[in-house]
Amino acid sequence: KLIITGSAIGNSIDKKLISLGRKRKIFTISIIEHWTNYYSRFVYKNKIFLPDLIFVNDLIAYKDAIKAGIPKQKLLVMGNVHFENLSKFNLKKKLSPWAQKIKNQNKKIIFFLSEEILKHQKYLIKEYKTDEFQTIKNIITAMSENDILVIKCHPEEKVKKFKRFANKNIIIKNKVTFSDIVNLPDFIIGIKSIILLELSIFRKDIISYRPL
């Protein structure tokens, strides 16, 4: 009777479910929990997969989505329960064993929160003039030999994607607790990942790296 989807960019199960809803005349709702790329989230191979209704976070997202080309009648401001709950989250300060081992080295620790930019570049708006590989190269260039870089893979990514960068000062992780991300690094760098916004609830030094 009802289909609810996310709004992943590119060839995703979301678009397949929206297409299924159209064929079977099932009401479909998609949720955009970001503040970017509103229209392109529903485009694949030059086809548009708009659901019956789209939930957005707030009035900023609502207005920007209309500017991006999404029909006003398909949009509804619904807030974001995840962020509301996260603001009340009791964050643990104790580090995981692997994180504590790195902390004990007394070196400057940099976290890079990766995401699939290069793969989805054709769907992204013009403000993204970098990708995950170039960003890592730029971070490495700025590092000293006393720094440690932890590359945290996006759930869509595998460790082998960044294997060429691995050495004694560069660690690649596919699973890291939220508490470790908040408490371990001296610097946190990402591009546009929503986790940057989540982390900003607990730290005020988050870097969203988007060079012109």
Side-chain angles (χ1 to χ4, degrees):
K1 294 181 181 180
L2 177 66
I3 293 175
I4 302 177
T5 81
S7 52
I9 288 173
N11 183 21
S12 68
I13 192 172
D14 310 305
K15 295 174 185 63
K16 294 174 183 176
L17 287 169
I18 292 169
S19 181
L20 177 68
R22 285 178 180 174
K23 291 177 183 176
R24 299 191 180 181
K25 297 182 179 180
I26 302 171
F27 195 84
T28 55
I29 298 173
S30 292
I31 301 169
I32 302 178
E33 81 279 22
H34 283 252
W35 283 265
T36 57
N37 301 298
Y38 301 95
Y39 192 83
S40 62
R41 293 177 183 279
F42 302 101
V43 176
Y44 180 65
K45 290 187 176 180
N46 296 320
K47 292 183 179 180
I48 183 72
F49 293 83
L50 283 178
D52 295 296
L53 193 60
I54 299 171
F55 291 173
V56 292
N57 289 325
D58 52 25
L59 286 173
I60 294 173
Y62 177 79
K63 292 175 182 178
D64 286 348
I66 292 171
K67 288 179 183 177
I70 294 180
K72 181 178 179 180
Q73 64 271 20
K74 285 188 176 289
L75 294 167
L76 190 63
V77 176
M78 292 295 287
N80 191 308
V81 176
H82 174 62
F83 282 109
E84 291 166 10
N85 289 336
L86 194 61
S87 65
K88 304 170 188 174
F89 182 60
N90 186 16
L91 190 71
K92 294 180 181 178
K93 293 189 176 181
K94 186 177 180 181
L95 295 173
S96 301
W98 77 271
Q100 188 61 56
K101 185 177 179 181
I102 295 173
K103 189 77 171 179
N104 291 342
Q105 296 182 41
N106 293 317
K107 294 183 177 181
K108 185 166 66 179
I109 302 167
I110 305 165
F111 254 56
F112 172 63
L113 304 174
S114 184
E115 55 192 301
E116 292 277 20
I117 297 289
L118 193 62
K119 179 180 175 181
H120 300 314
Q121 211 163 38
K122 62 182 178 180
Y123 297 106
L124 302 177
I125 59 177
K126 293 180 181 179
E127 68 176 290
Y128 306 133
K129 295 184 179 179
T130 186
D131 59 53
E132 60 272 37
F133 295 105
Q134 188 57 53
T135 301
I136 291 171
K137 290 175 184 177
N138 291 348
I139 294 171
I140 292 172
T141 300
M143 286 173 60
S144 74
E145 56 185 36
N146 290 320
D147 298 338
I148 292 177
L149 172 62
V150 178
I151 300 173
K152 164 65 176 69
C153 298
H154 186 276
E156 291 183 359
E157 299 173 324
K158 295 182 179 180
V159 169
K160 65 180 182 181
K161 175 179 177 178
F162 303 111
K163 190 176 180 180
R164 63 185 177 182
F165 294 110
N167 59 42
K168 65 177 183 178
N169 289 335
I170 300 178
I171 300 164
I172 303 161
K173 299 285 290 184
N174 62 350
K175 291 183 179 179
V176 180
T177 67
F178 189 78
S179 296
D180 282 346
I181 299 176
V182 173
N183 295 315
L184 176 61
D186 296 287
F187 297 97
I188 298 175
I189 303 172
I191 301 175
K192 67 176 184 66
S193 174
I194 198 68
I195 196 173
L196 298 175
L197 189 57
E198 296 174 357
L199 291 166
S200 71
I201 296 173
F202 302 94
R203 295 179 56 147
K204 305 302 179 186
D205 56 352
I206 310 300
I207 299 171
S208 176
Y209 183 74
R210 306 185 194 185
L212 299 176

